């Protein structure tokens, strides 16, 4: 077997091992999972998630997912907690401790301290006979038969199971809270995902130049307007109303059709009834219309009045595509 075949074989085995473990997680869900979701849903505090080693890394990701989907959460490292950071936990908080074995020294020290504070304690562990499981109010069972590591040592399958259980928890809370796409945008204002949910055509138009000519404008000046405004297009206006559009393509077709362009006006080469979009529409809607019509720009209007151009390049620059 050559090197390439060996690599693919190992990778497939890793994926298949972890996939089987994740599939089994669905069978481990029980009443404790339901009680955990409802407890967090009805809580007036935050979710404090703690762990040690690789489980601590997974805990930080679950915290991030919860925060971004409307459930206030904070990370507390198990080792730091027993050396002063236990003050992170407030009266109404719910604590989730993540540990594959549930028997690490840090967990054994931390659990009694949390229980002393009378906070609800959730144990996410693959060992339901462990110290953590025995003292937790509810258990999220993340048992895996074996790690993907051939020595069954490096946390691989077990941490994937923890991550998936955290996602299941977050999505249950999201749906039960009725967390909407608008809520998501509120928590992701700077990302491309958020922009798809809140960035409007007006936001884009305001940053672009506004090319426009009159129906009687000489075609040479039309070319100058298109070139200077650098959007590959200009609106054509008649008595203050939008009546057409001239694009780079219209200019090329004109040059192919006419040997002499003297006397030609914008109205002679424009396309009537241009594709438009209202300024209050989402930028993602503009993209969808461009794709439907196989064009690279739309004329933005507000109550029929021309306001500017939204170009495909704007959407690319904003990360919408």
């Amino acid at each position: 077997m050559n090197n390439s075949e060996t690599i693919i074989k190992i990778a497939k085995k890793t994926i298949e091992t972890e996939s089987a473990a994740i599939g089994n997680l669905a069978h481990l869900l029980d009443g404790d999972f339901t009680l955990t979701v409802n407890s967090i849903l009805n809580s007036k505090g935050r979710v404090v998630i703690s762990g040690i080693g690789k489980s601590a890394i997974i805990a930080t990701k679950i915290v991030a997912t919860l925060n971004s989907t409307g459930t206030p959460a904070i990370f507390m490292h198990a080792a730091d907690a027993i050396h002063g950071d236990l003050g992170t936990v407030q009266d109404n908080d719910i604590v989730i401790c993540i540990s594959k074995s549930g028997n690490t020294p840090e967990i054994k020290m931390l659990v009694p301290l949390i229980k002393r504070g009378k906070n609800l304690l959730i144990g996410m562990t693959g060992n339901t006979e462990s110290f953590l499981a025995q003292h937790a109010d509810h258990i999220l069972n993340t048992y895996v038969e074996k790690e993907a590591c051939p020595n069954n040592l490096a946390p691989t399958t077990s941490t994937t199971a923890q991550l998936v259980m955290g996602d299941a928890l977050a999505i249950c809370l999201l749906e039960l809270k009725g967390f909407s796409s608008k809520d998501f945008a509120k928590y992701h204002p700077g990302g491309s995902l958020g922009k798809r949910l809140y960035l409007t055509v007006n936001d884009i138009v305001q940053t672009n130049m506004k090319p426009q000519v009159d129906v009687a404008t000489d075609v040479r000046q039309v070319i100058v307007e298109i070139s200077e405004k650098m959007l590959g297009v200009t609106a054509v206006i008649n008595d203050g109303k939008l009546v057409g559009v001239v694009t780079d393509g219209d200019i090329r077709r004109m040059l192919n059709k006419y040997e002499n362009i003297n006397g030609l006006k914008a109205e002679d080469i424009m396309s009537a009834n241009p594709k438009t979009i209202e300024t209050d529409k989402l930028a993602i809607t503009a993209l969808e219309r461009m794709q439907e019509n196989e064009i690279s720009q739309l004329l933005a209007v507000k109550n029929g009045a021309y306001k500017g151009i939204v170009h495909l390049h704007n959407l690319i620059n904003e990360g919408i595509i």
Side-chain angles (χ1 to χ4, degrees):
M1 185 180 296
N2 62 37
N3 179 263
S4 178
E5 291 176 341
T6 299
I7 291 171
I8 297 299
K9 181 179 179 180
I10 294 170
K12 284 184 176 180
K13 184 178 179 181
T14 301
I15 294 170
E16 289 167 356
T17 298
E18 296 202 3
S19 176
I22 297 311
N24 186 56
L25 273 186
H27 302 294
L28 301 180
L29 295 174
D30 56 15
D32 271 18
F33 182 85
T34 301
L35 289 169
T36 297
V37 172
N38 284 326
S39 295
I40 296 173
L41 196 62
N42 297 317
S43 172
K44 295 181 180 178
R46 306 160 303 171
V47 179
V48 180
I49 308 183
S50 187
I52 194 80
K54 302 299 187 294
S55 293
I57 297 171
I58 297 300
T60 61
K61 191 277 178 183
I62 297 174
V63 164
T65 301
L66 289 172
N67 280 323
S68 69
T69 52
T71 299
I74 189 169
F75 170 69
M76 178 180 68
H77 197 283
D80 293 335
I82 59 179
H83 291 288
D85 282 4
L86 192 60
T88 299
V89 182
Q90 300 175 6
D91 289 344
N92 293 317
D93 291 342
I94 292 175
V95 180
I96 299 178
C97 284
I98 304 177
S99 173
K100 177 189 176 183
S101 71
N103 287 317
T104 61
E106 294 84 0
I107 292 297
K108 286 186 174 181
M109 292 182 66
L110 178 59
V111 166
L113 297 174
I114 293 172
K115 296 297 289 183
R116 186 179 65 187
K118 298 182 179 180
N119 294 86
L120 188 71
L121 175 62
I122 313 298
M124 184 185 293
T125 180
N127 181 3
T128 57
E129 302 299 322
S130 65
F131 181 87
L132 174 58
Q134 294 300 316
H135 290 82
D137 296 294
H138 307 308
I139 303 170
L140 301 179
N141 190 349
T142 52
Y143 170 79
V144 297
E145 182 178 350
K146 60 181 178 179
E147 300 287 3
C149 166
N151 300 313
N152 197 31
L153 295 173
T156 45
T157 311
S158 59
T159 48
T160 301
Q162 294 167 354
L163 188 63
V164 171
M165 185 63 75
D167 284 343
L169 189 64
I171 299 305
C172 284
L173 291 165
L174 178 153
E175 294 206 19
L176 291 171
K177 287 183 175 183
F179 193 82
S180 68
S181 59
K182 290 183 178 180
D183 295 318
F184 188 87
K186 182 174 67 175
Y187 289 101
H188 299 74
S192 59
L193 291 175
K195 285 184 178 181
R196 285 172 168 259
L197 300 170
Y198 78 83
L199 190 71
T200 66
V201 170
N202 187 59
D203 295 328
I204 292 176
V205 167
Q206 289 181 345
T207 65
N208 284 339
M209 289 186 278
K210 184 183 176 184
Q212 68 179 66
V213 296
D214 188 79
V215 287
T217 301
D218 184 85
V219 292
R220 290 180 175 81
Q221 189 56 43
V222 172
I223 295 172
V224 170
E225 181 72 0
I226 293 175
S227 299
E228 287 184 347
K229 300 300 170 61
M230 299 182 293
L231 291 168
V233 63
T234 182
V236 181
I237 308 297
N238 185 28
D239 293 330
K241 294 182 179 181
L242 177 65
V243 295
V245 62
V246 178
T247 67
D248 284 336
D250 292 321
I251 297 299
R252 289 192 295 272
R253 285 186 286 273
M254 175 194 71
L255 295 175
N256 285 330
K257 182 177 180 180
Y258 299 99
E259 291 186 5
N260 184 357
I261 64 173
N262 290 330
L264 289 177
K265 308 297 181 184
E267 62 182 343
D268 298 321
I269 63 170
M270 73 177 189
S271 298
N273 302 315
K275 303 297 182 183
T276 64
I277 187 168
E278 289 288 333
T279 54
D280 62 352
K281 296 294 184 182
L282 291 175
I284 186 65
T285 302
L287 172 62
E288 291 167 355
R289 292 192 184 175
M290 288 181 196
Q291 292 172 331
E292 289 171 3
N293 293 283
E294 298 182 341
I295 55 179
S296 59
Q297 65 274 116
L298 288 167
L299 276 63
V301 297
K302 183 176 182 179
N303 299 324
Y306 171 62
K307 294 297 180 180
I309 302 292
V310 55
H311 197 283
L312 181 63
H313 290 163
N314 297 137
L315 305 179
I316 294 174
N317 291 337
E318 292 290 349
I320 299 296
I321 300 177

